[in-house]
Amino acid sequence: MTANKADNTDTVKHAEATPETAQPYRELGLKDDEYQRIREILGRRPTDAELAMYSVMWSEHCSYKSSKVHLSYFGKTTTEQMRSKMLAGIGENAGVVDIGDGWAVTFKVESHNHPSYVEPYQGAATGVGGIVRDIMAMGARPLAVMDSLRFGPADAPDTRRVLPGVVAGVGGYGNCLGLPNIGGEVVFDSTYLGNPLVNALCVGAMRVEDLHLAHASGTGNKIILFGARTGLDGIGGVSVLASDTFSGDETTAGRKKLPSVQVGDPFMEKVLIECCLELFREGIVVGIQDLGGAGLSCATSELASAGDGGMHVNLDRVPLRAKGMTPAEILSSESQERMCAVVKPSDVDAFMRVCAKWDVTATEIGEVTETGRLVITWHDEVVVDVPPRTVAHEGPVYNRPVARPAEQDSLQQPIELPRPSTSDLRDLVLRMAGSHNLSSRGWVTDQYDRYVRGGTVLSQPSDSGMIRIDEESGRGVALSVDCNGRYCKLDPYTGAQLALAEAYRNVAVSGATPVAVTNCLNFGSPEDPGVMWQFEQAVRGLADGCVELGIPVTGGNVSFYNQTGSTAILPTPVVGVLGVIDDVRRRIPTGIGAEAGETLLLLGTTSDEFGGSEWAHVVHGSLSGLPPKVDLAHEMLLAEILRAGSRDGMVSAAHDLAEGGLAQAIVEACLIGQTGARIFLDSEQDPFVQLFSESTGRVIVAVPRTEELRFTDMLTARSMPWRKLGVVDPESKALEIQDVATFALEELANAWQGTLPALFH
Amino acid sequence: MARVVVDVMPKPEILDPQGQAVAKALPRLGFQGVTEVRQGKRFELEVDDSVDDETLTKIAADLLANTVIEDFTVRRLDA
C-alpha cells in the first residue's frame, strides 16, 4: 500500500491532492479498466482503503462478474407459481421457503475450496462457520449442516494430507457448535487433486414472522459490530485466493506475507448464535448481515446499499486484535465470528445488554445517514467516501467468450469397452462395492456428530438427511446434495439436470415432497471459453429442469478458478434439494428389513447406459459417450408415488439407484438394513446391463406383502414401469442374485466398509 | 545425545481461541493485570549427535508445526 503508518493514512483529501500516486491495483486483482472505472466513479484516485474495498468487492467471488449474465437466467425462468412458497430468494444471504404450520426454512450451500487446499482443517472449519452465519443472518436458528466434498484420487499422497484435515475441520467446527451433520457427498477424481471442493450447506428454521433481511434503513439508526475482534487474518483472501488461478503468490497487501487462511472459534460462534436469536426475539434488529468474505467492506456496503443509501462508519471504534492495523486492513480483514446489525437508537441499550449477557463484544461503529454515500473515517479524517451501490452491486459485469470445446464431440463418441461375462459378475459386484467412490462413507461421517440436538431423523447413509422442525406435529424437512461431475463433463446441460433429478429423487425416496433448490456451481477458469460454455450449459440445464419440476432455485454460490495449471476440474454444479414431510414418523428408510415379509420391486426402466458410469471409470478408467437420459416428468411421477406410498403406509423401505446401478443399490439396501434378500434378473436382458447400467429414475422399493397388490395396482394405474425384483430374506444373512452369485452379508460389508479406513486410518 | 526443544506458536496475526479462553478465565479467578495470552506447544526431543540442525528444522516444519498458521523455533539445550 502507498501509506501504511497510522499517522500517515491515505485520506480522501490526500488522494485528491496526489492524483498521480501509483497504486498496486493489479496486485489486488483489479484490471486496468476496472481501476479506471473506480477513478471515474469517484472523480479522483481511490484511497488505499477504497481500493481495498473495491478490489475485494469487485473480485469474482463477491461480484459474480463472470457469472451474473448467466445467473440472471434463473430469475427469468422462475414463474410466479414456483415463487409462491418462497419468502426470500437469490440476492439475500440465503433462500427462505414457507413449509407450512407457520414455519419458514432457510438453506444455502457455499464453497470454501481454495482455503481448504491451503489449510485443510481451518479452511473446512471456517467454511462451516461461514454458512452457519448466513443462516443466522436470515433470523433463523441453524439446525443442521451437510458437506459435499471432492478430493483427488483416494490413494494420492496429497489426498492423505487434505482429506483427513477437511473431515476433521468439518467435524471439529460442527461438533463444537452443536449442529448435526446429516449427510453430503465424498467423491474422488483426479481433476480435484490440487483443487479439492469443500461445499458446506446449512439449514435453519424460524417462525415466518421472524424473517430478517439485510437492510440498513432509517436515518439515525446505529450500526453495531458484534462478535469477535478484528485481526489480520484472511487479508487478501477474497481477492487473491478466490479469484486468481492458484499461483502461490502471496504478495498482496503491503505488510509482510500475511496468512490467507483464517482460524475460527466454534465456541464463539455458538454464543453468537444464541445472542442473535435473543436479539431477534427482543425485536430490536432492523437489519443484520454476517461478515464473511470481504469482511467489513462487504457488510457496510451491502447494508448501506440495501437500505436508504447512506452510512457513516468510524473505524477507530472497531475492536482490534492486532496492533497498528491500517484502515484498508480493517476493512478487508476476514476475521471469523462477526456480525453487523442496524439498530434503532432507542434500542441500542437493550441490544448492548443482550450482548453483555452472552459475553459478546458489541460496539457501535456508525449510523445510517441520508447522504447516499458510505463515509468511513479514521482518526477524524475521511478515508472512504463512495456511493455504496458502486461497491456492492454495480461492479463490473463480463460477457466472457463462450465456446463449446473442440474436443466435446470426440468426448461424446462412445468408446466400446469390453464387458464382463456373467461368470465375472460376482467379482465385479464386490470390486464395485469397494471402489473409492461407491464404498461406504462411514469412515468420514462417523467423525461427525449426526444426532446432537435430537432432531435428526435420517442421516448418512440414508439417501437424504432429515430433521424434525416441529416437535408437536412432526413436520420436518429432508435434504440431499448431489452432483456427478463426469456426467457434467460429457454434457453439462444434462449433467446439471441429472444432479437435480438425483437430489430430487433422494428427497422423494425418503417420503418428503421436494420444494426448493440451492446450488454451488464449481467450475474452472471463466477466462477459458470452454469452461464458460460448461457453466452456461449447466445453469440453463438446472434452470430449465427446475421449471419442469416446478420448484424454484432460492439461492446459490459460484466458485470459479478451480483448476491446476490449465486443467480445470470436472464441471461440478452441486445441487441441493429441500423437501418437506408433514410428519417425520412417516419417513421411508433406506435399508430393507424394517417389516417381516417384504417384497422388493424395481420402479423405472433399465436401458443400456454406461456413458460416464462408475463401471467405466473403475474398470477402464474411461470417460466417454453421453450421460444417462433424464426424464423429469417421470421423476415427478416417481416422487408422487413414493409420497403416496409413505402416506398410506404402503412402502417400508426405498433406495434410489445411482452410481453403480442396481448392484450397488441392492448391496447398500441390504447392508444398511442388515438384512438379506433374494433377487432375480429379467431373463430378456443382459445381466451385466441390469446390474450396472446407470439409467436414472429408478428406485428399489420394499413393500409389506399385505400391501403389495394395492401398491402395484397403483403403479399400473399411474403408468409407472415396474417389475418384481425379489423378496427380503431375513433368515439367510446373504444377498442372492439368482443365476449370478450369492454373497454373505459379511463379505459385502467387508468390501463396502473396508476401503476408506484402509486408505486413511 | 542432545536435548532439543521445539517451540511452536500460532503466528501473531492468527486467532488463538485457546489463549483467549485462558485470558478471559484469569480475571474470573481473581488474577488481574494479564492483558494477553497466546498458547503454543513445546516438544522435547532426545537426539543423536548425527542429526544436524537442517534435519531438525525439517522435522519441525514437516511434522511438529503447521507452518501455514504456526511459527516454530528450534534450540539445542546444553547437555
Side-chain angles (χ1 to χ4, degrees):
Chain A
M1 296 267 134
T2 35
N4 255 341
K5 297 230 172 57
D7 54 355
N8 192 18
T9 306
D10 188 24
T11 62
V12 168
K13 228 180 274 170
H14 182 248
E16 278 166 346
T18 55
E20 300 308 322
T21 304
Q23 294 188 282
Y25 61 89
R26 283 200 199 93
E27 289 79 354
L28 288 168
L30 286 168
K31 304 273 189 263
D32 292 358
D33 55 334
E34 292 171 347
Y35 177 68
Q36 278 314 317
R37 228 191 103 205
I38 297 169
R39 294 191 70 127
E40 279 161 28
I41 289 168
L42 299 176
R44 57 175 163 80
R45 78 163 173 86
T47 65
D48 283 352
E50 288 167 339
L51 187 63
M53 284 184 89
Y54 278 106
S55 69
V56 285
M57 291 302 290
W58 285 15
S59 68
E60 189 66 61
H61 180 79
C62 292
S63 73
Y64 292 83
K65 57 188 168 190
S66 304
S67 54
K68 233 178 204 168
V69 292
H70 301 287
L71 296 176
S72 63
Y73 191 70
F74 284 121
K76 276 183 230 153
T77 50
T78 308
T79 62
E80 279 311 311
Q81 175 75 21
M82 287 158 75
R83 230 179 291 249
S84 61
K85 291 270 160 54
M86 203 159 92
L87 302 173
I90 296 170
E92 297 294 345
N93 283 308
V96 184
V97 186
D98 186 340
I99 65 156
D101 287 354
W103 287 101
V105 164
T106 176
F107 73 127
K108 191 184 183 187
V109 55
E110 211 163 65
S111 64
H112 223 218
N113 303 340
H114 292 148
S116 302
Y117 175 69
V118 178
E119 165 44 44
Y121 184 99
Q122 298 296 346
T126 52
V128 174
I131 194 67
V132 167
R133 282 194 301 283
D134 270 325
I135 296 306
M136 283 158 63
M138 301 310 293
R141 172 180 282 283
L143 292 176
V145 293
M146 272 179 136
D147 292 272
S148 186
L149 310 176
R150 283 175 171 75
F151 304 99
D155 44 12
D158 201 50
T159 304
R160 297 184 67 90
R161 170 186 75 92
V162 176
L163 183 141
V166 165
V167 170
V170 167
Y173 202 96
N175 294 357
C176 290
L177 204 50
L179 286 179
N181 191 309
I182 57 169
E185 300 175 283
V186 180
V187 178
F188 301 100
D189 187 273
S190 59
T191 61
Y192 304 116
L193 185 67
N195 217 308
L197 302 185
V198 174
N199 293 179
L201 178 149
C202 182
V203 58
M206 70 197 112
R207 300 302 294 173
V208 170
E209 61 271 18
D210 292 339
L211 177 61
H212 281 79
L213 299 176
H215 295 165
S217 41
T219 299
N221 282 348
K222 303 298 180 191
I223 312 298
I224 297 178
L225 179 66
F226 62 116
R229 288 169 176 270
T230 300
L232 283 165
D233 24 13
I235 292 176
V238 165
S239 61
V240 175
L241 262 187
S243 300
D244 256 338
T245 306
F246 230 46
S247 58
D249 185 330
E250 288 182 282
T251 55
T252 44
R255 209 178 270 262
K256 66 184 170 91
K257 277 189 181 181
L258 286 169
S260 298
V261 290
Q262 312 96 43
V263 170
D265 179 358
F267 298 109
M268 176 76 228
E269 180 122 325
K270 172 63 180 166
V271 172
L272 205 49
I273 292 175
E274 301 306 328
C275 178
C276 279
L277 288 169
E278 182 163 344
L279 291 168
F280 294 143
R281 268 200 305 278
E282 298 287 316
I284 49 180
V285 178
V286 177
I288 190 160
Q289 171 100 38
D290 64 305
L291 273 70
L296 265 177
S297 295
C298 180
T300 52
S301 61
E302 285 196 350
L303 274 175
S305 42
D308 297 345
M311 190 186 280
H312 180 267
V313 172
N314 183 353
L315 274 193
D316 298 286
R317 289 172 155 272
V318 174
L320 301 178
R321 216 178 63 224
K323 291 187 185 73
M325 286 179 75
T326 67
E329 287 168 339
I330 297 168
L331 285 167
S332 42
S333 162
E334 294 188 357
S335 291
Q336 301 291 296
E337 291 94 23
R338 295 180 299 162
M339 301 287 284
C340 200
V342 182
V343 182
K344 283 191 197 136
S346 55
D347 289 333
V348 169
D349 287 346
F351 191 101
M352 294 300 182
R353 267 199 304 276
V354 172
C355 289
K357 172 186 159 186
W358 291 101
D359 205 7
V360 166
T361 307
T363 316
E364 191 186 308
I365 60 164
E367 65 180 26
V368 178
T369 64
E370 55 195 359
T371 60
R373 301 195 61 97
L374 171 59
V375 176
I376 299 178
T377 53
W378 172 251
H379 295 353
D380 298 324
E381 303 249 33
V382 176
V383 291
V384 172
D385 184 355
V386 297
R389 287 196 62 84
T390 64
V391 180
H393 299 298
E394 288 158 14
V397 175
Y398 289 143
N399 227 322
R400 299 217 188 253
V402 172
R404 190 172 191 267
E407 66 275 15
Q408 197 71 26
D409 281 334
S410 57
L411 189 64
Q412 291 184 345
Q413 285 303 315
I415 299 169
E416 284 300 323
L417 301 169
R419 294 184 172 189
S421 65
T422 303
S423 60
D424 297 330
L425 292 178
R426 184 177 209 286
D427 286 347
L428 188 58
V429 169
L430 290 170
R431 180 174 174 195
M432 294 300 289
S435 65
H436 293 163
N437 283 331
L438 297 183
S439 61
S440 166
R441 316 281 89 169
W443 183 84
V444 169
T445 52
D446 287 353
Q447 298 184 45
Y448 305 150
D449 192 334
R450 284 169 282 167
Y451 302 103
V452 62
R453 291 188 55 79
T456 305
V457 180
L458 294 174
S459 68
Q460 278 288 340
S462 294
D463 281 319
S464 72
M466 187 182 284
I467 49 170
R468 189 188 308 107
I469 302 286
D470 191 307
E471 297 285 338
E472 296 278 305
S473 68
R475 183 173 291 267
V477 293
L479 274 157
S480 180
V481 284
D482 292 283
C483 181
N484 183 320
R486 288 197 310 272
Y487 292 166
C488 295
K489 172 86 177 177
L490 294 176
D491 179 351
Y493 184 92
T494 307
Q497 293 200 336
L498 285 163
L500 173 66
E502 168 80 18
Y504 184 92
R505 197 180 326 114
N506 277 331
V507 163
V509 294
S510 308
T513 306
V515 293
V517 177
T518 188
N519 61 63
C520 191
L521 308 173
N522 306 275
F523 287 79
S525 167
E527 293 159 42
D528 176 343
V531 169
M532 274 322 280
W533 175 79
Q534 293 174 334
F535 183 77
E536 180 193 61
Q537 289 291 307
V539 166
R540 290 192 169 246
L542 183 55
D544 292 347
C546 286
V547 170
E548 201 171 342
L549 294 172
I551 53 176
V553 172
T554 61
N557 171 239
V558 177
S559 173
F560 277 132
Y561 295 100
N562 292 293
Q563 56 182 62
T564 312
S566 61
T567 312
I569 59 162
L570 293 174
T572 314
V574 171
V575 179
V577 169
L578 175 87
V580 181
I581 183 163
D582 297 342
D583 186 348
V584 295
R585 280 164 291 197
R586 280 204 292 267
R587 71 188 174 277
I588 306 174
T590 303
I592 56 171
E595 292 191 32
E598 292 170 308
T599 300
L600 294 171
L601 307 174
L602 178 61
L603 276 49
T605 313
T606 305
S607 316
D608 188 329
E609 294 182 286
F610 286 93
S613 68
E614 205 61 46
W615 168 76
H617 176 69
V618 170
V619 175
H620 297 285
S622 168
L623 178 60
S624 74
L626 288 171
K629 279 194 248 346
V630 59
D631 180 351
L632 295 173
H634 170 79
E635 299 287 354
M636 288 169 80
L637 177 61
L638 199 54
E640 271 177 47
I641 284 170
L642 288 160
R643 185 167 61 244
S646 118
R647 188 190 54 221
D648 299 342
M650 290 188 282
V651 173
S652 54
H655 186 28
D656 97 302
L657 274 62
E659 288 85 357
L662 174 64
Q664 183 66 20
I666 190 68
V667 166
E668 288 172 1
C670 288
L671 290 177
I672 293 166
Q674 297 184 350
T675 306
R678 270 180 288 135
I679 67 166
F680 51 88
L681 300 179
D682 182 349
S683 57
E684 304 286 301
Q685 202 178 17
D686 177 13
F688 164 70
V689 171
Q690 291 187 68
L691 286 172
F692 291 100
S693 163
E694 296 185 4
S695 294
T696 62
R698 295 182 300 159
V699 174
I700 297 174
V701 174
V703 291
R705 217 156 284 161
T706 49
E707 302 294 333
E708 186 179 338
L709 202 60
R710 189 155 73 110
F711 190 70
T712 52
D713 279 351
M714 177 177 74
L715 296 178
T716 308
R718 307 198 69 170
S719 309
M720 168 57 65
W722 66 276
R723 79 172 186 86
K724 190 163 172 177
L725 184 66
V727 291
V728 174
D729 184 356
E731 307 300 316
S732 70
K733 304 217 180 313
L735 167 64
E736 181 189 347
I737 305 173
Q738 228 171 65
D739 302 326
V740 174
T742 301
F743 307 87
L745 289 188
E746 201 185 341
E747 185 183 17
L748 292 173
N750 288 340
W752 189 53
Q753 289 161 351
T755 308
L756 291 191
L759 283 161
F760 298 105
H761 210 56
Chain B
M1 293 287 277
R3 171 164 289 195
V4 172
V5 171
V6 180
D7 286 311
V8 178
M9 290 298 290
K11 287 185 178 175
E13 57 276 5
I14 288 275
L15 177 69
D16 172 19
Q18 296 181 90
Q20 283 192 349
V22 174
K24 276 193 172 175
L26 288 170
R28 275 206 299 274
L29 296 171
F31 299 103
Q32 304 300 329
V34 180
T35 55
E36 206 193 330
V37 178
R38 303 282 288 171
Q39 180 178 326
K41 50 196 169 185
R42 169 187 166 114
F43 297 87
E44 296 181 352
L45 288 71
E46 296 295 329
V47 168
D48 274 346
D49 293 337
S50 65
V51 181
D52 61 11
D53 287 356
E54 202 181 319
T55 308
L56 286 171
T57 303
K58 206 167 149 40
I59 289 171
D62 289 356
L63 181 64
L64 305 183
N66 174 356
T67 54
V68 178
I69 54 174
E70 291 169 332
D71 291 331
F72 65 86
T73 56
V74 180
R75 59 204 156 91
R76 286 174 189 268
L77 296 190
D78 294 329

